[in-house]
Amino acid sequence: PAAAEGDTPHSSPSTSSVSFYVKREDLSSPRYGGSIVRSMQFQLAVLEAKMEAKMDANGTDSGKRSEEIIAIGTGGSATVLAAVVHAEGITALPPVTPLYTKDTPNLDNTLNMLSTLSFPTNPVTTWAQPLRFLRILLSSLISRNKNALTFVLPLGGNSPAGVLGQVSGMLELADQIRAGDIPVLDAIYVPVASSCTLSGMIIGVALARSFGLRAFSSPKFRLHGVPVHRGVSLLSRVGVYTARVS
């Protein structure tokens, strides 16, 4: 359910001097799209594997246990919504528990939050319930119940599995360039929040080059991270995300 429906297409507006292409990650799934779907595809697969590893050889659970997926994000988080939407279609996975931190005014996305609330989930916890928020998060990290199966999806899907999902997107783009769908690129601009997408793209460029693909071989090629969160913007001002990636 979290898998992309084939390669995501691109659109290509242009001017007389510059051509640019848009990778349509919003079309990555008919249920709920966006680049986060790539991360969620890998993360939910890891959760399924962990669930199976906890089961007996005959396919039954080893005793009574508690199960939940904790998805952490800001009030309009695409990560939380994608977890709720795509986990719902996987019967082997437990319910999602949304944990919302406060959105900054410029990132307010009420529609995402309302969409999350329209799905069956465990009780939602927000920034207005700090003690409950902390209790749920800490109990998931230090639980002594050996039968507890609590999985945490971090902010922005930024985990090893989530980053691998973004690597797949870059290799897909490299294949589209190899096929001649678009020319070799001089630059890619990507919004930066949790850095999950940017991290995966950097690894994807390195892999494509190691495979001998020409997609990112231009001497001019650069990845440009564009901070969209004030915390990331602060890091940018003190020197992070300013070095060119080549």
Side-chain angles (χ1 to χ4, degrees):
E5 299 292 322
D7 293 353
T8 55
H10 56 81
S11 56
S12 53
S14 62
T15 68
S16 57
S17 58
V18 177
S19 294
F20 66 95
Y21 300 81
V22 180
K23 192 84 162 81
R24 295 295 306 274
E25 296 289 81
D26 57 313
L27 302 178
S28 60
S29 169
R31 299 194 71 196
Y32 180 72
S35 63
I36 188 60
V37 174
R38 294 190 183 275
S39 293
M40 201 58 57
Q41 179 181 11
F42 279 68
Q43 288 177 305
L44 294 183
V46 168
L47 298 193
E48 283 189 276
K50 288 183 176 180
M51 290 282 292
E52 292 177 2
K54 291 289 185 179
M55 297 179 70
D56 292 334
N58 61 4
T60 59
D61 292 335
S62 54
K64 185 178 180 180
R65 66 191 188 191
S66 59
E67 303 173 349
E68 67 177 333
I69 298 172
I70 296 177
I72 306 173
T74 59
S77 171
T79 301
V80 175
L81 180 53
V84 169
V85 171
H86 293 294
E88 185 197 36
I90 305 176
T91 56
L93 292 180
V96 174
T97 299
L99 290 188
Y100 282 123
T101 62
K102 191 173 183 178
D103 252 341
T104 55
N106 61 313
L107 294 178
D108 177 54
N109 192 339
T110 304
L111 183 59
N112 267 6
M113 191 171 189
L114 291 176
S115 297
T116 299
L117 296 176
S118 70
F119 283 84
T121 68
N122 287 332
V124 175
T125 300
T126 73
W127 60 91
Q129 305 160 287
L131 294 180
R132 175 181 168 82
F133 189 105
L134 187 61
R135 178 179 61 79
I136 293 175
L137 190 58
L138 288 179
S139 65
S140 71
L141 298 174
I142 60 176
S143 174
R144 295 182 179 180
N145 180 3
K146 65 179 181 179
N147 287 323
L149 287 178
T150 300
F151 307 108
V152 179
L153 299 177
L155 286 162
N158 196 349
S159 69
V163 170
L164 281 176
Q166 302 305 324
V167 173
S168 74
M170 282 301 277
L171 294 180
E172 178 185 294
L173 178 59
D175 193 55
Q176 290 173 320
I177 294 173
R178 179 195 60 77
D181 294 338
I182 55 177
V184 173
L185 302 174
D186 289 331
I188 297 177
Y189 289 81
V190 58
V192 178
S194 73
S195 303
C196 178
T197 301
L198 181 60
S199 299
M201 292 177 73
I202 292 171
I203 297 172
V205 169
L207 282 176
R209 288 176 172 177
S210 71
F211 294 155
L213 303 178
R214 67 184 186 93
F216 313 117
S217 59
S218 169
K220 298 179 181 179
F221 180 76
R222 296 290 185 271
L223 277 176
H224 298 273
V226 183
V228 295
H229 189 280
R230 64 181 182 181
V232 177
S233 296
L234 175 62
L235 292 175
S236 180
R237 286 196 292 272
V238 297
V240 181
Y241 300 128
T242 56
R244 294 185 297 182
V245 178
S246 61

